[in-house]
Every structure is written in structure tokens, then in C-alpha cells.
Amino acid sequence: MNLLEEALIKAANSDNKSDIATFYRTLLQSQVFLPPSTSFETENEQNHDFLVIQSKTRFCIPIFTTQESVADWSGNDLAVITKDFKALLWLIPDQCSLHLNPGQDIGKEFSFWEIEQLRKGEQAIDEIIEELDLEFLPDVNIRTAPELPATVMQRILGMLDAFEQIEEAYLTSVVPENQNVSESGSERLLLGLKSSRPLPEHFNAEVALIAKDQNISIDLAQDITLPLYRGLFDQVLPFYIRQRKLPRSKSNLLLRLKSFILRLVANGSRKVTD
């Protein structure tokens, strides 16, 4: 067992944020093992030497803490690729996640947002842990979000529209189990997002500014596909879905042209009648 595997196991069995931070720090300083791209049939347009698995519209790269783990996962002795994790972060195709030790008892999946943060290095570890909020979420009750004033919703909707990568947004309310909803400051709004790519840092500041101006508490779940948020939004309908403009087809153009001609004919007939 190497240092990375030890750190992963310890973090998975700990509620201590320092153990989580140690795992991320060790990961950034470690090498990981990957199966080669020729091992399985897969669409890999980026022509990387490592395996990229495609499942419908989702892409994922399996990585492992040890060389033996690759063989256990694949079922045969493959030629294993070794890469520095820090360097691998910059080779990952867009819209591709990482899965550490898939198929094993203890592993971890890294979201698009998490990968983007890890590219910044060790200085981003505290921000990642704060976003994941590992100690807060397991001990909360989920409630229907209270109706917000129209002015607040307009600001939130305007903010969401300004960031084109945001596809859907959800709003719910969380209350710590040991507190009553009537207690001042106990209820917090949780804004969950589905995005096509990571959001810039100043998005958090935009959310914080709205919360401060309206004197409300808003926690942010930038990627609700993370295992941490699983179940929190299952019964919540999105209050925001980005509208996509459909491309203008030739048939639509012909229909509009036909409608225009019919209006001209109708106008002409009215003039003759008059």
C-alpha cells in the first residue's frame, strides 16, 4: 500500500477535514496508473495514450492508486501507463470526469468543477473542501424552499442567464437536524446547479452579494451530480432551465415565406374590395 492509497482510505473513513486535505495534497504529489487506450474499444477523439470511456454522452477516465489495481479492474495484465496526477489534469478532454479506483470498495469520482479547481494546485484544496462541505450536509433535513420575493428571483435568474454554461438550477432549503426551523438563521437556501463546464470564481461572489443584499443565507452546490449531493434534489423540480434556440431550418423559412405571401395576397384582395 502506497501513500496515496493510505491517504484515500483514511479520508474515506474520517470526518476530519484535515484528513480530506491530506488526501488531496498527496494526490497532487503522486503518480497514478491508467490502462492504455488500446485496451478497449472506445471513442477517443483526443488520441490520448490512456483509456477514455464513453457512456452515452458522458466521458470518464479510470485511474488507479497501484499498478495491481489496473490488472484487477481489467481482468488481465495490461501494459500500464504511469502519469503524474498534476500533469494528467491538463490532459483531460473537456466534459470528462476522473474515477479513482473504480470497482473497488473505496474510490472517488472527480467532477468537472473539482478537476478545474485541482488544476490550481494545493491552494485550491480549502475551497474544494468548503464547497463539498463534508461535515454539514449529512446532518440536515431537506425542506421545500420558501417563496422568495420577486425582486430576489429576478436577480438570481438574471445571474443564471449571464453564465451560459449553467443548464439547470434547483432551489431547496436545509435545516440542521439539531435545530428548529423557527430558530433565527437555522434555515439556509441551497442553490444546486447543472453546468456544461466549470463556473468562474467570481460566480460565488455574485451569489454571496445577492445573499448579503437580501439578508438571506444561500449555500451553493455547483455540481449536483457529485455523490455528496445525491438525494438532495431528487424531489425538486428545476426553477430554471436554459432555453436553447433551435437552428432555423429551410422548412421553417419556407413556412414563414408562404405566410408572408398569403398576407400580401389578403391585403391586396382587401384593397380591391375597398
Side-chain angles (χ1 to χ4, degrees):
M1 184 180 297
N2 56 30
L3 291 176
L4 177 57
E5 204 163 33
E6 288 179 1
L8 172 63
I9 294 172
K10 188 172 183 179
N13 293 286
S14 173
D15 291 329
N16 193 325
K17 289 187 178 182
S18 65
D19 292 332
I20 311 297
T22 298
F23 162 69
Y24 281 113
R25 196 173 298 109
T26 304
L27 179 63
L28 287 169
Q29 298 170 355
S30 298
Q31 289 186 326
V32 291
F33 301 88
L34 305 89
S37 61
T38 54
S39 304
F40 301 93
E41 292 183 3
T42 181
E43 293 185 18
N44 189 357
E45 298 177 356
Q46 302 291 331
N47 294 321
H48 293 300
D49 56 352
F50 50 80
L51 177 65
V52 179
I53 296 175
Q54 180 180 3
S55 175
K56 296 183 180 180
T57 59
R58 187 181 180 193
F59 294 86
C60 180
I61 299 173
I63 61 176
F64 298 87
T65 52
T66 65
Q67 185 170 343
E68 293 75 21
S69 299
V70 181
D72 292 341
W73 176 76
S74 63
N76 54 62
D77 295 327
L78 300 171
V80 177
I81 296 172
T82 306
K83 289 191 181 294
D84 289 330
F85 181 79
K86 197 181 296 185
L88 176 65
L89 290 171
W90 297 97
L91 300 175
I92 298 172
D94 292 338
Q95 302 305 300
C96 188
S97 62
L98 288 173
H99 197 154
L100 179 63
N101 286 354
Q104 296 192 16
D105 292 338
I106 298 178
K108 172 166 173 54
E109 189 170 356
F110 299 87
S111 68
F112 309 144
W113 175 83
E114 214 168 347
I115 291 168
E116 189 69 21
Q117 296 302 308
L118 286 170
R119 285 172 176 162
K120 302 174 186 176
E122 293 186 17
Q123 63 268 25
I125 291 176
D126 288 342
E127 183 178 351
I128 293 173
I129 294 176
E130 182 180 351
E131 169 66 20
L132 296 181
D133 210 344
L134 295 168
E135 294 180 348
F136 173 65
L137 286 175
D139 300 320
V140 297
N141 291 317
I142 308 302
R143 298 170 53 87
T144 302
E147 186 173 345
L148 296 176
T151 53
V152 178
M153 287 305 299
Q154 285 174 1
R155 285 191 63 180
I156 292 176
L157 291 172
M159 174 188 66
L160 297 174
D161 269 335
F163 294 85
E164 61 180 15
Q165 60 265 60
I166 296 176
E167 297 178 343
E168 294 180 8
Y170 301 74
L171 199 60
T172 189
S173 177
V174 293
V175 181
E177 282 189 347
N178 58 350
Q179 294 186 25
N180 190 292
V181 68
S182 60
E183 295 180 36
S184 177
S186 64
E187 187 173 20
R188 303 176 67 88
L189 294 177
L190 183 62
L191 176 62
L193 304 175
K194 281 185 180 179
S195 304
S196 59
R197 60 180 186 275
L199 290 160
E201 290 184 12
H202 65 270
F203 179 81
N204 291 26
E206 296 265 2
V207 175
L209 182 61
I210 292 176
K212 181 180 179 181
D213 289 348
Q214 303 299 324
N215 195 27
I216 56 178
S217 298
I218 302 179
D219 289 312
L220 183 62
Q222 281 206 12
D223 184 357
I224 66 172
T225 63
L226 285 172
L228 174 67
Y229 301 119
R230 192 168 294 146
L232 293 183
F233 298 93
D234 288 353
Q235 306 301 319
V236 181
L237 294 174
F239 72 91
Y240 173 87
I241 299 177
R242 180 171 297 278
Q243 293 183 349
R244 301 292 182 188
K245 291 183 178 180
L246 296 176
R248 293 184 176 180
S249 64
K250 290 182 179 179
S251 58
N252 287 339
L253 180 60
L254 289 173
L255 285 173
R256 290 195 301 274
L257 182 59
K258 183 178 180 180
S259 175
F260 177 67
I261 293 173
L262 288 173
R263 286 198 303 272
L264 286 179
V265 171
N267 289 337
S269 63
R270 278 199 297 271
K271 288 180 179 178
V272 171
T273 303
D274 295 341

